[in-house]
Amino acid sequence: MQMAHYDQDLIDSSGVFRALSHPARLCVVNKLTTTVLTVGQMQECLGMSQSNVSQHLSILKSRGIIKGERIGSEVFYSLADDRMKDLVKIFLND
C-alpha cells in the first residue's frame, strides 16, 4: 500500500494524539493542567512503579507535551504548552 504524502504538522500532531491515547498519560496530562507534579506524586496518584511512570513521562516529553525542571534532587513536571489544557478539556468533556 502506498502512503500519501502528509504535511509535517499533521505527522507531528498525530504523534501527540498517539502519546495521549494511553489512559495513564492522559491522566498525567490532565493533572498537570492544574498543578506541577514530581514523579513520586504521579506514582502515588497512578499506582504505578517509578520506572513505569518514567516511561510514560519519556513519551510525553518526546512529543513536547510536558517539560521537567530540576530543583535540587527533584524534577517538577508541567505542561510544555498551555494549549494542552484546552485539548484535554475537549477529550474529557470538561
Side-chain angles (χ1 to χ4, degrees):
M1 178 193 291
Q2 188 176 17
M3 292 294 282
H5 177 69
Y6 294 109
D7 181 278
Q8 188 61 43
D9 287 339
L10 289 175
I11 294 168
D12 294 344
S13 294
S14 70
V16 169
F17 284 112
R18 275 195 306 278
L20 293 174
S21 69
H22 192 283
R25 293 190 292 267
L26 187 56
C27 181
V28 166
V29 172
N30 185 41
K31 296 225 178 280
L32 291 177
T33 64
T34 59
T35 191
V36 174
L37 297 170
T38 65
V39 173
Q41 291 167 322
M42 289 180 223
Q43 183 181 350
E44 289 175 21
C45 173
L46 295 170
M48 295 180 170
S49 68
Q50 180 180 356
S51 63
N52 201 351
V53 171
S54 293
Q55 288 174 350
H56 287 298
L57 293 176
S58 177
I59 292 167
L60 293 170
K61 282 177 70 174
S62 72
R63 292 298 177 183
I65 297 170
I66 65 169
K67 61 184 176 182
E69 181 182 350
R70 181 170 294 281
I71 300 176
S73 63
E74 294 278 3
V75 178
F76 293 85
Y77 290 93
S78 62
L79 293 179
D81 186 339
D82 280 339
R83 293 179 298 173
M84 280 297 125
K85 290 179 183 181
D86 295 331
L87 187 59
V88 169
K89 251 184 158 173
I90 291 167
F91 269 11
L92 300 177
N93 296 316
D94 285 347

Coordinates of all heavy atoms in Angstrom, one line a residue:
M1 N 0.8 -1.2 0.0 CA 0.0 0.0 0.0 C 0.9 1.2 0.0 O 1.8 1.3 0.8 CB -0.9 0.0 1.2 CG -1.8 1.2 1.3 SD -2.6 1.6 2.8 CE -3.8 0.3 2.9
Q2 N 0.6 2.2 -0.8 CA 1.4 3.4 -0.9 C 0.8 4.4 0.1 O -0.4 4.6 0.2 CB 1.3 4.0 -2.4 CG 2.2 5.1 -2.6 CD 2.1 5.6 -4.0 OE1 1.2 5.2 -4.7 NE2 3.1 6.3 -4.4
M3 N 1.8 5.1 0.8 CA 1.4 6.1 1.8 C 1.3 7.4 1.1 O 2.1 7.8 0.2 CB 2.5 6.2 2.8 CG 2.6 4.9 3.7 SD 1.1 4.7 4.7 CE 1.4 5.9 6.0
A4 N 0.3 8.2 1.5 CA 0.1 9.5 1.0 C 1.2 10.4 1.6 O 1.7 10.2 2.6 CB -1.3 10.0 1.3
H5 N 1.5 11.5 0.9 CA 2.4 12.5 1.4 C 1.6 13.4 2.4 O 0.7 14.1 2.0 CB 3.0 13.3 0.3 CG 3.9 14.4 0.8 ND1 5.1 14.1 1.3 CD2 3.8 15.7 0.8 CE1 5.7 15.2 1.7 NE2 4.9 16.2 1.3
Y6 N 2.1 13.4 3.6 CA 1.4 14.2 4.6 C 2.3 15.4 5.1 O 3.5 15.2 5.2 CB 1.0 13.4 5.9 CG 0.0 12.4 5.6 CD1 0.3 11.0 5.6 CD2 -1.3 12.7 5.3 CE1 -0.6 10.1 5.3 CE2 -2.3 11.8 5.1 CZ -1.9 10.4 5.0 OH -2.9 9.5 4.8
D7 N 1.7 16.5 5.4 CA 2.3 17.7 5.9 C 3.0 17.3 7.2 O 2.4 16.6 8.0 CB 1.3 18.8 6.1 CG 1.9 20.0 6.6 OD1 2.0 20.1 7.8 OD2 2.1 20.9 5.8
Q8 N 4.2 17.8 7.5 CA 4.9 17.5 8.8 C 4.1 17.9 10.0 O 4.1 17.2 11.0 CB 6.2 18.3 8.8 CG 7.1 17.8 10.0 CD 7.5 16.4 9.9 OE1 7.8 15.8 8.9 NE2 7.4 15.7 11.1
D9 N 3.3 19.0 9.9 CA 2.4 19.4 11.0 C 1.4 18.3 11.4 O 1.1 18.0 12.5 CB 1.7 20.7 10.8 CG 2.6 21.9 10.8 OD1 3.7 21.8 11.5 OD2 2.3 22.9 10.3
L10 N 0.8 17.6 10.3 CA -0.1 16.5 10.6 C 0.6 15.3 11.2 O 0.0 14.7 12.1 CB -0.8 16.1 9.2 CG -1.8 17.1 8.6 CD1 -2.2 16.6 7.3 CD2 -3.0 17.3 9.6
I11 N 1.8 15.1 10.7 CA 2.6 13.9 11.3 C 2.9 14.2 12.8 O 2.7 13.4 13.6 CB 3.8 13.7 10.5 CG1 3.5 13.2 9.1 CG2 4.8 12.7 11.2 CD1 4.6 13.2 8.1
D12 N 3.3 15.4 13.1 CA 3.6 15.8 14.5 C 2.4 15.8 15.3 O 2.4 15.2 16.5 CB 4.3 17.2 14.5 CG 5.6 17.3 13.9 OD1 6.2 16.2 13.6 OD2 6.1 18.4 13.6
S13 N 1.3 16.3 14.8 CA 0.0 16.3 15.6 C -0.5 14.8 15.9 O -1.0 14.5 17.0 CB -1.1 17.0 14.9 OG -0.7 18.4 14.8
S14 N -0.3 14.0 14.9 CA -0.8 12.6 15.1 C 0.1 11.9 16.2 O -0.4 11.1 17.0 CB -0.7 11.8 13.8 OG 0.6 11.5 13.4
G15 N 1.4 12.3 16.3 CA 2.2 11.8 17.4 C 1.7 12.2 18.7 O 1.8 11.5 19.7
V16 N 1.3 13.5 18.8 CA 0.7 14.0 20.1 C -0.5 13.2 20.5 O -0.7 12.8 21.6 CB 0.4 15.5 20.0 CG1 -0.4 16.0 21.2 CG2 1.7 16.3 19.9
F17 N -1.4 13.0 19.5 CA -2.6 12.2 19.8 C -2.2 10.7 20.2 O -2.9 10.2 21.1 CB -3.6 12.2 18.6 CG -4.3 13.5 18.5 CD1 -4.0 14.3 17.4 CD2 -5.2 13.9 19.4 CE1 -4.7 15.5 17.3 CE2 -5.9 15.1 19.3 CZ -5.6 15.9 18.2
R18 N -1.2 10.1 19.6 CA -0.8 8.8 20.0 C -0.3 8.8 21.4 O -0.6 7.9 22.2 CB 0.2 8.3 19.0 CG -0.3 7.6 17.8 CD 0.7 6.8 17.1 NE 2.0 7.5 16.7 CZ 2.1 8.3 15.7 NH1 1.1 8.5 14.9 NH2 3.3 8.9 15.5
A19 N 0.5 9.8 21.8 CA 1.0 9.9 23.1 C -0.1 10.1 24.2 O 0.0 9.5 25.3 CB 2.0 11.1 23.2
L20 N -1.1 10.8 23.8 CA -2.3 11.0 24.7 C -3.2 9.8 24.8 O -4.2 9.8 25.6 CB -3.0 12.3 24.4 CG -2.2 13.6 24.6 CD1 -3.0 14.7 24.0 CD2 -1.9 13.8 26.0
S21 N -3.0 8.8 23.9 CA -4.0 7.7 23.8 C -4.0 6.7 24.9 O -4.9 5.9 25.1 CB -3.8 7.0 22.4 OG -2.6 6.3 22.4
H22 N -2.9 6.8 25.7 CA -2.8 5.8 26.9 C -3.5 6.5 28.1 O -3.2 7.6 28.4 CB -1.4 5.5 27.2 CG -1.2 4.4 28.1 ND1 -1.4 4.5 29.5 CD2 -1.0 3.1 27.9 CE1 -1.3 3.3 30.1 NE2 -1.0 2.4 29.1
P23 N -4.3 5.8 28.8 CA -5.0 6.4 30.0 C -4.1 6.9 31.0 O -4.4 8.0 31.6 CB -5.8 5.2 30.6 CG -6.0 4.2 29.5 CD -4.8 4.4 28.6
A24 N -3.0 6.3 31.3 CA -2.1 6.8 32.3 C -1.5 8.2 31.8 O -1.4 9.1 32.6 CB -0.9 5.8 32.6
R25 N -1.1 8.3 30.6 CA -0.5 9.5 30.1 C -1.6 10.6 30.0 O -1.3 11.8 30.4 CB 0.1 9.3 28.7 CG 1.3 8.4 28.8 CD 2.1 8.4 27.5 NE 1.5 7.7 26.4 CZ 1.6 6.4 26.1 NH1 2.4 5.6 26.8 NH2 1.0 5.9 25.0
L26 N -2.8 10.3 29.7 CA -3.9 11.3 29.6 C -4.2 11.7 31.1 O -4.4 12.9 31.3 CB -5.1 10.7 29.0 CG -6.3 11.6 28.8 CD1 -5.9 12.9 27.9 CD2 -7.4 10.9 28.1
C27 N -4.1 10.8 32.0 CA -4.3 11.2 33.4 C -3.2 12.2 33.9 O -3.5 13.1 34.6 CB -4.3 9.9 34.3 SG -4.6 10.2 36.0
V28 N -2.0 11.9 33.6 CA -0.9 12.7 33.9 C -1.1 14.1 33.4 O -1.0 15.1 34.1 CB 0.5 12.1 33.5 CG1 1.6 13.2 33.6 CG2 0.8 10.9 34.3
V29 N -1.4 14.2 32.1 CA -1.5 15.5 31.4 C -2.7 16.2 32.0 O -2.7 17.4 32.3 CB -1.7 15.3 29.9 CG1 -2.1 16.7 29.2 CG2 -0.4 14.8 29.3
N30 N -3.8 15.5 32.3 CA -5.0 16.1 32.9 C -4.6 16.7 34.3 O -5.0 17.9 34.6 CB -6.1 15.1 33.1 CG -7.4 15.7 33.6 OD1 -7.8 16.8 33.2 ND2 -8.0 15.0 34.5
K31 N -3.8 16.0 35.1 CA -3.4 16.5 36.4 C -2.5 17.7 36.3 O -2.6 18.7 37.0 CB -2.8 15.4 37.2 CG -3.7 14.3 37.6 CD -3.6 13.9 39.0 CE -4.5 12.8 39.3 NZ -5.9 13.2 39.5
L32 N -1.7 17.7 35.2 CA -0.7 18.8 35.0 C -1.4 20.1 34.5 O -0.8 21.1 34.4 CB 0.4 18.4 34.1 CG 1.4 17.4 34.6 CD1 2.4 17.0 33.6 CD2 2.0 17.9 35.9
T33 N -2.7 20.0 34.1 CA -3.4 21.2 33.7 C -3.7 22.1 34.9 O -4.0 23.3 34.7 CB -4.8 20.9 33.0 OG1 -5.6 20.2 34.0 CG2 -4.6 20.0 31.8
T34 N -3.6 21.6 36.1 CA -3.9 22.4 37.3 C -2.8 22.5 38.3 O -2.8 23.3 39.3 CB -5.1 21.8 38.1 OG1 -4.9 20.5 38.5 CG2 -6.4 21.9 37.2
T35 N -1.7 21.7 38.1 CA -0.6 21.7 39.1 C 0.7 21.2 38.5 O 0.7 20.7 37.4 CB -1.0 20.8 40.3 OG1 -0.1 21.0 41.4 CG2 -1.1 19.3 40.0
V36 N 1.7 21.3 39.3 CA 3.1 20.8 38.9 C 3.3 19.6 39.8 O 3.0 19.6 41.0 CB 4.1 21.9 39.1 CG1 5.5 21.3 38.9 CG2 3.9 23.1 38.3
L37 N 3.8 18.5 39.2 CA 4.0 17.2 39.9 C 5.4 16.7 39.8 O 6.0 16.9 38.8 CB 3.0 16.2 39.4 CG 1.5 16.5 39.6 CD1 0.7 15.5 38.8 CD2 1.1 16.5 41.1
T38 N 5.8 15.9 40.8 CA 7.0 15.1 40.7 C 6.7 13.7 40.3 O 5.5 13.3 40.3 CB 7.7 15.1 42.1 OG1 6.9 14.4 43.0 CG2 8.1 16.5 42.6
V39 N 7.7 12.9 40.0 CA 7.5 11.5 39.6 C 6.8 10.8 40.8 O 5.9 10.0 40.6 CB 8.8 10.8 39.2 CG1 8.6 9.4 39.0 CG2 9.3 11.5 37.9
G40 N 7.3 11.1 42.0 CA 6.8 10.4 43.2 C 5.3 10.7 43.4 O 4.5 9.8 43.7
Q41 N 4.9 12.0 43.1 CA 3.5 12.3 43.3 C 2.6 11.6 42.2 O 1.5 11.1 42.5 CB 3.3 13.8 43.2 CG 3.8 14.5 44.4 CD 3.9 16.0 44.1 OE1 4.3 16.5 43.0 NE2 3.7 16.8 45.2
M42 N 3.2 11.5 41.0 CA 2.4 10.8 39.9 C 2.4 9.3 40.2 O 1.4 8.7 39.9 CB 3.2 11.0 38.6 CG 3.0 12.4 38.0 SD 3.9 12.6 36.5 CE 4.7 14.1 36.7
Q43 N 3.4 8.8 40.8 CA 3.5 7.4 41.1 C 2.4 7.0 42.1 O 1.7 6.0 41.9 CB 4.9 7.1 41.7 CG 5.1 5.6 42.0 CD 6.5 5.4 42.6 OE1 7.3 6.3 42.6 NE2 6.7 4.2 43.2
E44 N 2.2 7.8 43.1 CA 1.2 7.6 44.1 C -0.2 7.7 43.5 O -1.1 6.9 43.7 CB 1.3 8.6 45.3 CG 2.5 8.4 46.2 CD 2.6 9.6 47.2 OE1 1.6 10.3 47.4 OE2 3.7 9.7 47.7
C45 N -0.4 8.7 42.7 CA -1.7 9.0 42.0 C -2.1 7.9 41.1 O -3.2 7.5 41.0 CB -1.6 10.3 41.3 SG -3.0 10.7 40.3
L46 N -1.1 7.4 40.3 CA -1.4 6.4 39.3 C -1.3 5.0 39.8 O -1.8 4.0 39.2 CB -0.4 6.5 38.1 CG -0.6 7.8 37.3 CD1 0.6 8.0 36.3 CD2 -1.9 7.9 36.6
G47 N -0.7 4.8 40.9 CA -0.5 3.4 41.5 C 0.4 2.6 40.6 O 0.2 1.4 40.5
M48 N 1.5 3.2 40.1 CA 2.5 2.5 39.2 C 3.8 2.7 39.8 O 4.1 3.5 40.6 CB 2.5 3.2 37.8 CG 1.2 3.1 37.0 SD 1.5 3.9 35.4 CE 0.1 3.4 34.6
S49 N 4.7 1.8 39.3 CA 6.1 1.9 39.8 C 6.8 3.1 39.2 O 6.3 3.7 38.2 CB 6.9 0.6 39.3 OG 7.0 0.7 37.9
Q50 N 7.9 3.5 39.8 CA 8.6 4.7 39.3 C 9.1 4.5 37.9 O 9.0 5.4 37.0 CB 9.7 5.1 40.2 CG 10.5 6.3 39.8 CD 11.7 6.6 40.6 OE1 11.9 6.0 41.7 NE2 12.4 7.6 40.2
S51 N 9.5 3.3 37.6 CA 10.0 3.1 36.2 C 8.9 3.2 35.2 O 9.1 3.7 34.1 CB 10.8 1.7 36.1 OG 9.9 0.7 36.4
N52 N 7.7 2.7 35.5 CA 6.6 2.7 34.6 C 6.2 4.2 34.4 O 5.9 4.6 33.2 CB 5.5 1.9 35.1 CG 4.5 1.5 34.1 OD1 4.5 2.0 32.9 ND2 3.5 0.6 34.4
V53 N 6.1 4.9 35.4 CA 5.7 6.4 35.3 C 6.8 7.1 34.5 O 6.5 7.9 33.6 CB 5.6 7.0 36.7 CG1 5.5 8.6 36.6 CG2 4.4 6.5 37.5
S54 N 8.1 6.8 34.7 CA 9.1 7.4 33.9 C 9.0 7.1 32.5 O 9.3 8.0 31.6 CB 10.5 7.0 34.5 OG 10.7 7.5 35.8
Q55 N 8.7 5.9 32.1 CA 8.5 5.5 30.7 C 7.4 6.4 30.1 O 7.5 6.9 28.9 CB 8.2 4.1 30.6 CG 9.3 3.2 30.8 CD 8.9 1.7 30.8 OE1 7.8 1.3 30.8 NE2 10.0 0.8 30.9
H56 N 6.3 6.6 30.8 CA 5.2 7.4 30.3 C 5.6 8.8 30.1 O 5.3 9.5 29.1 CB 4.0 7.3 31.1 CG 3.2 6.0 31.0 ND1 2.7 5.5 29.9 CD2 3.0 5.0 31.9 CE1 2.1 4.3 30.0 NE2 2.3 4.0 31.3
L57 N 6.4 9.3 31.1 CA 6.8 10.7 31.0 C 7.8 10.9 29.9 O 7.8 11.9 29.2 CB 7.6 11.1 32.4 CG 6.7 11.2 33.6 CD1 7.5 11.5 34.8 CD2 5.6 12.2 33.4
S58 N 8.6 9.9 29.6 CA 9.5 10.0 28.5 C 8.8 10.2 27.1 O 9.2 11.0 26.3 CB 10.4 8.7 28.4 OG 11.2 8.7 27.3
I59 N 7.7 9.4 27.0 CA 6.9 9.6 25.8 C 6.3 10.9 25.7 O 6.3 11.6 24.6 CB 5.8 8.5 25.7 CG1 6.5 7.1 25.6 CG2 4.8 8.7 24.6 CD1 5.6 5.9 25.8
L60 N 5.7 11.4 26.8 CA 5.1 12.8 26.8 C 6.2 13.9 26.5 O 5.9 14.8 25.8 CB 4.4 13.0 28.1 CG 3.2 12.2 28.4 CD1 2.7 12.3 29.8 CD2 2.0 12.5 27.4
K61 N 7.3 13.7 27.1 CA 8.4 14.7 26.8 C 8.9 14.7 25.4 O 9.1 15.7 24.8 CB 9.6 14.4 27.8 CG 9.4 14.9 29.2 CD 10.5 14.6 30.1 CE 11.7 15.4 29.8 NZ 12.8 15.2 30.7
S62 N 9.0 13.5 24.8 CA 9.5 13.4 23.4 C 8.5 14.0 22.4 O 9.0 14.4 21.4 CB 9.7 11.9 23.1 OG 8.5 11.2 22.9
R63 N 7.3 14.1 22.8 CA 6.3 14.8 21.9 C 6.1 16.2 22.3 O 5.2 16.9 21.7 CB 4.9 14.0 22.0 CG 5.0 12.7 21.4 CD 5.3 12.8 19.9 NE 5.5 11.4 19.3 CZ 5.8 11.3 18.1 NH1 6.1 12.3 17.3 NH2 5.9 10.0 17.6
G64 N 6.8 16.7 23.2 CA 6.8 18.2 23.6 C 5.5 18.5 24.4 O 5.1 19.7 24.4
I65 N 4.9 17.5 25.0 CA 3.7 17.8 25.8 C 4.0 18.3 27.2 O 3.3 19.1 27.7 CB 2.8 16.5 25.8 CG1 2.4 16.1 24.4 CG2 1.6 16.7 26.7 CD1 1.8 14.7 24.2
I66 N 5.0 17.7 27.8 CA 5.4 18.1 29.1 C 6.9 18.5 29.1 O 7.6 18.2 28.2 CB 5.1 17.0 30.2 CG1 6.0 15.8 29.9 CG2 3.7 16.7 30.2 CD1 6.0 14.8 31.0
K67 N 7.2 19.2 30.2 CA 8.7 19.6 30.4 C 9.0 19.4 31.9 O 8.1 19.3 32.8 CB 8.9 21.0 30.0 CG 8.1 22.0 30.8 CD 8.3 23.4 30.3 CE 7.4 24.4 31.1 NZ 7.6 25.8 30.6
G68 N 10.2 19.2 32.2 CA 10.6 19.0 33.6 C 11.7 20.0 34.0 O 12.5 20.4 33.2
E69 N 11.6 20.4 35.2 CA 12.5 21.4 35.8 C 13.1 20.8 37.0 O 12.4 20.5 38.0 CB 11.9 22.7 36.0 CG 12.8 23.8 36.6 CD 12.1 25.1 36.9 OE1 10.9 25.3 36.6 OE2 12.8 25.9 37.5
R70 N 14.4 20.7 37.0 CA 15.1 20.1 38.2 C 15.3 21.2 39.3 O 15.9 22.3 39.0 CB 16.5 19.5 37.8 CG 17.2 18.9 39.1 CD 18.4 18.1 38.7 NE 18.0 16.9 37.9 CZ 17.6 15.8 38.5 NH1 17.4 15.7 39.8 NH2 17.3 14.7 37.7
I71 N 14.9 20.9 40.5 CA 15.1 21.8 41.6 C 15.6 20.9 42.7 O 14.9 20.1 43.3 CB 13.8 22.6 42.0 CG1 13.3 23.4 40.9 CG2 14.1 23.4 43.3 CD1 11.9 24.1 41.2
G72 N 16.9 21.1 43.0 CA 17.5 20.2 44.0 C 17.6 18.8 43.4 O 18.0 18.6 42.3
S73 N 17.1 17.8 44.2 CA 17.1 16.4 43.7 C 15.8 16.0 43.1 O 15.7 14.9 42.6 CB 17.4 15.5 44.9 OG 16.3 15.6 45.9
E74 N 14.8 16.9 43.0 CA 13.5 16.6 42.4 C 13.4 17.2 41.0 O 13.9 18.3 40.8 CB 12.4 17.2 43.3 CG 12.3 16.6 44.7 CD 11.5 15.3 44.7 OE1 11.1 14.8 43.6 OE2 11.3 14.7 45.8
V75 N 12.6 16.6 40.2 CA 12.2 17.1 38.9 C 10.7 17.4 39.0 O 9.9 16.5 39.3 CB 12.5 16.2 37.7 CG1 12.1 16.8 36.4 CG2 14.0 15.8 37.7
F76 N 10.4 18.6 38.7 CA 9.0 19.1 38.7 C 8.5 19.2 37.3 O 9.1 19.9 36.4 CB 8.8 20.4 39.4 CG 9.1 20.3 40.9 CD1 10.4 20.4 41.3 CD2 8.1 20.1 41.8 CE1 10.7 20.3 42.7 CE2 8.4 20.0 43.1 CZ 9.7 20.1 43.6
Y77 N 7.4 18.4 37.0 CA 6.9 18.4 35.6 C 5.7 19.3 35.5 O 4.8 19.4 36.4 CB 6.5 16.9 35.3 CG 7.7 16.0 35.1 CD1 8.2 15.3 36.2 CD2 8.3 16.0 33.9 CE1 9.3 14.5 36.1 CE2 9.5 15.2 33.8 CZ 9.9 14.5 34.8 OH 11.0 13.7 34.7
S78 N 5.6 19.9 34.3 CA 4.5 20.8 34.0 C 4.2 20.7 32.5 O 5.0 20.0 31.8 CB 4.8 22.2 34.3 OG 5.9 22.7 33.6
L79 N 3.1 21.3 32.1 CA 2.8 21.2 30.6 C 3.8 22.2 29.9 O 4.1 23.2 30.3 CB 1.4 21.7 30.4 CG 0.2 20.8 30.9 CD1 -1.1 21.5 30.7 CD2 0.3 19.4 30.3
A80 N 4.2 21.7 28.7 CA 5.1 22.5 27.9 C 4.4 23.5 27.1 O 4.9 24.5 26.6 CB 5.9 21.6 27.0
D81 N 3.1 23.3 26.9 CA 2.3 24.1 26.0 C 0.9 24.2 26.6 O 0.2 23.2 26.9 CB 2.2 23.5 24.6 CG 1.5 24.4 23.6 OD1 0.7 25.3 24.0 OD2 1.7 24.1 22.4
D82 N 0.5 25.4 27.0 CA -0.8 25.7 27.6 C -2.0 25.2 26.8 O -3.1 25.0 27.3 CB -1.0 27.1 28.0 CG -0.3 27.4 29.3 OD1 0.0 26.5 30.1 OD2 0.0 28.6 29.6
R83 N -1.8 25.1 25.4 CA -2.9 24.6 24.6 C -3.3 23.2 25.0 O -4.5 22.8 24.6 CB -2.5 24.7 23.1 CG -2.3 26.1 22.6 CD -1.9 26.1 21.2 NE -0.6 25.5 21.1 CZ 0.0 25.2 19.9 NH1 -0.6 25.5 18.8 NH2 1.2 24.6 19.9
M84 N -2.5 22.4 25.7 CA -2.8 21.1 26.1 C -4.0 21.1 27.1 O -4.8 20.2 27.1 CB -1.7 20.4 26.8 CG -0.6 19.8 25.9 SD -1.3 18.5 24.9 CE -0.9 19.1 23.3
K85 N -4.1 22.2 27.8 CA -5.3 22.3 28.7 C -6.6 22.3 28.0 O -7.5 21.6 28.4 CB -5.2 23.7 29.5 CG -4.1 23.7 30.5 CD -4.1 25.1 31.2 CE -2.9 25.1 32.2 NZ -2.8 26.4 32.9
D86 N -6.7 23.0 26.9 CA -7.9 23.0 26.1 C -8.1 21.7 25.4 O -9.2 21.2 25.4 CB -7.8 24.1 25.0 CG -7.8 25.5 25.6 OD1 -8.4 25.7 26.7 OD2 -7.2 26.4 25.0
L87 N -7.0 21.0 24.9 CA -7.2 19.7 24.3 C -7.7 18.7 25.3 O -8.6 17.9 24.9 CB -5.8 19.3 23.7 CG -5.8 18.1 22.8 CD1 -6.7 18.2 21.7 CD2 -4.4 17.8 22.4
V88 N -7.1 18.7 26.5 CA -7.6 17.7 27.5 C -9.0 18.0 27.9 O -9.8 17.0 28.1 CB -6.6 17.7 28.7 CG1 -7.2 16.9 29.9 CG2 -5.2 17.2 28.3
K89 N -9.4 19.2 28.0 CA -10.8 19.6 28.3 C -11.7 19.0 27.3 O -12.8 18.4 27.6 CB -10.9 21.1 28.3 CG -11.1 21.7 29.7 CD -11.4 23.1 29.6 CE -12.1 23.6 30.8 NZ -12.2 25.0 30.9
I90 N -11.3 19.1 26.0 CA -12.2 18.6 24.9 C -12.2 17.0 25.0 O -13.3 16.4 24.9 CB -11.6 19.0 23.6 CG1 -11.8 20.5 23.4 CG2 -12.3 18.2 22.4 CD1 -11.1 21.1 22.2
F91 N -11.1 16.4 25.2 CA -11.0 14.9 25.4 C -11.9 14.4 26.5 O -12.6 13.4 26.3 CB -9.6 14.5 25.7 CG -8.8 14.2 24.5 CD1 -9.1 14.5 23.2 CD2 -7.5 13.5 24.6 CE1 -8.3 14.2 22.1 CE2 -6.7 13.2 23.6 CZ -7.1 13.5 22.3
L92 N -11.9 15.1 27.6 CA -12.5 14.6 28.8 C -13.9 15.3 29.0 O -14.6 15.1 30.0 CB -11.7 14.9 30.0 CG -10.3 14.2 30.0 CD1 -9.5 14.5 31.2 CD2 -10.5 12.7 29.9
N93 N -14.3 16.1 28.0 CA -15.7 16.7 28.1 C -15.8 17.6 29.4 O -16.9 17.6 29.9 CB -16.8 15.7 28.0 CG -16.8 15.1 26.6 OD1 -16.6 15.7 25.6 ND2 -16.9 13.8 26.6
D94 N -14.8 18.2 29.8 CA -14.9 19.1 31.0 C -15.5 20.4 30.7 O -15.3 21.0 29.7 CB -13.5 19.3 31.6 CG -13.1 18.0 32.4 OD1 -13.9 17.2 32.6 OD2 -11.9 18.0 32.7

